[in-house]
Amino acid sequence: MSYGDTIPLHPSSQSDIDEIENLINAGAHSATVLPARAPSPSRASIPVSHSPFPLPPYQKMPPSSSPTPVVSSVPAAAATTTTAPGGSSRIGISTDALESPPDTLTEPVFDTVKRDLTRIVSNLKLVVFPNPYREDPGRALRDWDLWGPFFFIVFLGLTLSWSASVKKSEVFAVAFAILAAGAIILTLNVLLLGGHIIFFQSLSLLGYCLFPLAVGALVCMLEGNVIIKIVVVSMTLAWSCWAAYPFISTAVNPRRKALALYPVFLMYISVGFFIIAID
Amino acid sequence: YKLLKLLVQAVIAEEKPSAGTSQCSGEEQAANNWKGFCSLSSYTPYFNVDTEVVVDRIISSVYPMDDFSRKIDGSPDLYGPVWISATLVFMLAALGNYGTYLIQKRSEPNGDWEFDVSYVDWAACVVFGYAIAVPAAFYFLLQYFGLNANLVRLWCMWGYSLFVFVPASVSIFFFPLLFLVVPSEIFRWIIIILAGSASSWFVYLNLKVSTEGSDTMPLVVSALVLQFALALFIKIFFFS
């Protein structure tokens, strides 16, 4: 259970991509470089020893770096792809991307949005929805992203703020602060207890597990009766906790499982209580 | 972007072929420079507890006996203080608002009750402020008096002393329900005074063990008084 590949880099401009690539070339002599943002099917299993950092498919290919070592790693990457959900189209994109770079900066906005939305939906299906055929939930979300969590946190904050009758902006601020800082603190808690998780992957997962509570908040906003609200929030709270449980419990030593899980449940329960009480 | 390049250089410099952050640099005991302060691994020893250990410490904090100091002698932990304070913040905010709800419903059944978010702010500031600042102040005072105090032990002890307020706040509401008695003021005062005394006595006993000198008695007594004042403040602000 060792997760060694946790370098989330998002280079976004040409010259800096070049320099960073040079740095990585200089640094990765004989160590095995496990890229963190590789295309999804080949994420955690590329033993790339000397080739430069293979960029995610939707980044522009820097013209100065030599394409040959990168291309030679792509067949290896494609060969070691496992059957990840929604992965087949990704393989096509990755090989295409590294042989003839698609211009993702000039593609239609609709394409970018559609790709991000598809990824959010597929991550959601992985994490939150009960699926008997899903892969081991402890290693969920190979292709984590932070758009989904951000969207759910903001949505939850907005819904709570809308439902509140007074001090709307303070309600939004409190909800956003609790959720965002809470996710970071929970991840740090697991790391401090000696658990093995990847920081941003954990943030992503905790954010996705908010989805049921966001749905519950929406329902409570539209519905006025307290009893129904309590029932709905309890159900969605149980759902959220169920979704988060396997991930957290497999990340720490079994003797400390309760220590790692309790703060997660505390956060979700406090959000649930917040949802019920705001009216 | 320069920041990004620096980050890459730092990551490459630290990069090792094996697993994550909590395993690397265990031998780096640097607590004396900024790198030790900012790196996660220097705080890991304070979270090196199992579930049974934490539960054991919590139970021994409710019954103010001498055992607690011996339990944390080897390894004071910071897990307990952090999450007990967080739980207390949540309890105070939630139950305080529930209390105003009940009062509102009793006085004017058709009135509008509003959730007061400022309870969350106040609870967080008071509880975390108390749990962080008071032990730190006592640490400095004890050092000033020449006694050798350990800051983490003080934080640990004060954090666990706050635990008794959690069942106290819960019982302020649900104890009357259990016994079908109207939650009157006298009940609340009794419960809070009991909880405050238990907590203060716990702090007093443990601080006496830490100091072991008679000329710091005013200090120890002031700790007791402060804890009791916290209990009163909780009652007056959240539960009246």
Side-chain angles (χ1 to χ4, degrees):
Chain A
M1 261 208 322
S2 64
Y3 298 70
D5 47 347
T6 69
I7 313 171
L9 296 175
H10 303 279
S12 55
S13 81
Q14 268 319 96
S15 60
D16 280 280
I17 295 177
D18 297 344
E19 298 196 46
I20 289 175
E21 275 211 69
N22 292 337
L23 281 175
I24 294 177
N25 275 338
H29 292 301
S30 54
T32 58
V33 175
L34 302 174
R37 290 295 289 173
S40 83
S42 52
R43 171 162 289 223
S45 58
I46 305 180
V48 173
S49 57
H50 58 273
S51 57
F53 181 69
L55 298 172
Y58 40 85
Q59 294 286 344
K60 250 185 155 172
M61 202 42 196
S64 64
S65 75
S66 55
T68 9
V70 176
V71 168
S72 70
S73 75
V74 167
T80 58
T81 54
T82 54
T83 57
S88 51
S89 59
R90 301 284 184 132
I91 300 176
I93 294 178
S94 68
T95 50
D96 273 344
L98 295 169
E99 287 178 31
S100 60
D103 228 350
T104 60
L105 277 182
T106 57
E107 67 176 4
V109 173
F110 182 69
D111 280 354
T112 315
V113 171
K114 192 169 73 152
R115 189 174 48 233
D116 284 333
L117 280 180
T118 335
R119 192 175 51 196
I120 290 179
V121 169
S122 79
N123 281 339
L124 206 56
K125 279 198 286 217
L126 267 186
V127 174
V128 174
F129 287 100
N131 178 5
Y133 303 109
R134 69 179 178 175
E135 25 175 284
D136 178 18
R139 297 180 65 98
L141 271 195
R142 291 175 199 282
D143 197 15
W144 55 266
D145 71 307
L146 288 177
W147 276 118
F150 175 71
F151 177 68
F152 294 140
I153 292 180
V154 169
F155 179 74
L156 195 53
L158 284 176
T159 314
L160 285 173
S161 166
W162 190 287
S163 325
S165 34
V166 292
K167 294 189 187 176
K168 287 174 184 274
S169 54
E170 198 173 331
V171 166
F172 179 83
V174 168
F176 191 88
I178 288 180
L179 291 170
I184 295 178
I185 292 176
L186 289 175
T187 312
L188 286 181
N189 183 48
V190 172
L191 285 174
L192 283 169
L193 282 174
H196 301 289
I197 51 171
I198 301 167
F199 183 73
F200 284 104
Q201 188 183 25
S202 163
L203 284 187
S204 174
L205 245 135
L206 287 171
Y208 274 110
C209 292
L210 277 179
F211 171 75
L213 280 171
V215 167
L218 187 62
V219 170
C220 287
M221 183 174 81
L222 303 170
E223 175 64 52
N225 191 354
V226 178
I227 304 289
I228 294 186
K229 276 207 236 184
I230 291 181
V231 167
V232 165
V233 169
S234 324
M235 272 174 22
T236 54
L237 180 66
W239 186 6
S240 281
C241 294
W242 173 85
Y245 177 85
F247 177 67
I248 301 280
S249 64
T250 52
V252 284
N253 190 339
R255 289 198 313 256
R256 303 183 180 185
K257 208 160 63 164
L259 294 186
L261 282 171
Y262 168 71
V264 180
F265 293 164
L266 178 68
M267 182 172 94
Y268 287 153
I269 289 175
S270 63
V271 172
F273 180 82
F274 211 25
I275 295 175
I276 296 179
I278 288 272
D279 63 341
Chain B
Y1 300 129
K2 291 221 179 302
L3 201 59
L4 194 55
K5 279 180 273 184
L6 284 175
L7 181 66
V8 172
Q9 283 172 323
V11 164
I12 288 177
E14 275 189 13
E15 194 177 85
K16 304 217 169 24
S18 61
T21 50
S22 56
Q23 274 188 10
C24 80
S25 63
E27 50 273 9
E28 240 185 63
Q29 286 300 328
N32 300 327
N33 54 1
W34 282 112
K35 191 156 178 239
F37 185 69
C38 293
S39 101
L40 206 59
S41 56
S42 62
Y43 295 105
T44 316
Y46 300 128
F47 281 77
N48 195 13
V49 282
D50 293 334
T51 312
E52 300 105 27
V53 173
V54 173
V55 170
D56 188 34
R57 291 180 183 182
I58 286 179
I59 292 179
S60 73
S61 82
V62 176
Y63 300 109
M65 306 175 295
D66 247 352
D67 282 336
F68 187 78
S69 341
R70 264 173 263 136
K71 281 178 188 168
I72 64 171
D73 250 340
S75 56
D77 73 304
L78 287 177
Y79 177 90
V82 169
W83 293 110
I84 290 175
S85 316
T87 311
L88 190 59
V89 167
F90 163 63
M91 285 289 174
L92 291 179
L95 294 173
N97 270 300
Y98 185 58
T100 58
Y101 173 77
L102 287 180
I103 291 176
Q104 180 103 20
K105 284 302 163 192
R106 197 160 296 140
S107 60
E108 32 170 318
N110 294 328
D112 276 335
W113 169 78
E114 289 138 11
F115 181 83
D116 193 358
V117 184
S118 64
Y119 273 37
V120 178
D121 302 336
W122 272 104
C125 289
V126 167
V127 171
F128 277 109
Y130 186 88
I132 293 177
V134 169
F138 271 88
Y139 171 71
F140 287 119
L141 282 175
L142 287 175
Q143 294 282 55
Y144 178 76
F145 278 107
L147 294 161
N148 213 1
N150 183 353
L151 182 57
V152 179
R153 277 186 62 124
L154 287 177
W155 268 332
C156 179
M157 194 258 293
W158 247 283
Y160 277 102
S161 78
L162 290 178
F163 174 75
V164 81
F165 292 118
V166 173
S169 8
V170 171
S171 66
I172 281 184
F173 279 100
F174 296 116
F175 182 79
L177 279 178
L178 271 179
F179 290 86
L180 298 174
V181 178
V182 173
S184 61
E185 271 302 290
I186 205 74
F187 249 131
R188 299 182 178 196
W189 277 111
I190 290 177
I191 291 180
I192 264 295
I193 287 178
L194 279 178
S197 326
S199 188
S200 317
W201 191 248
F202 174 80
V203 171
Y204 172 74
L205 277 182
N206 283 290
L207 208 53
K208 212 166 56 144
V209 167
S210 284
T211 62
E212 289 172 9
S214 58
D215 57 344
T216 52
M217 195 50 78
L219 218 58
V220 178
V221 169
S222 66
L224 199 153
V225 167
L226 263 178
Q227 192 83 1
F228 207 75
L230 177 73
L232 291 179
F233 176 79
I234 287 178
K235 162 70 182 72
I236 293 172
F237 191 82
F238 291 103
F239 292 126
S240 59

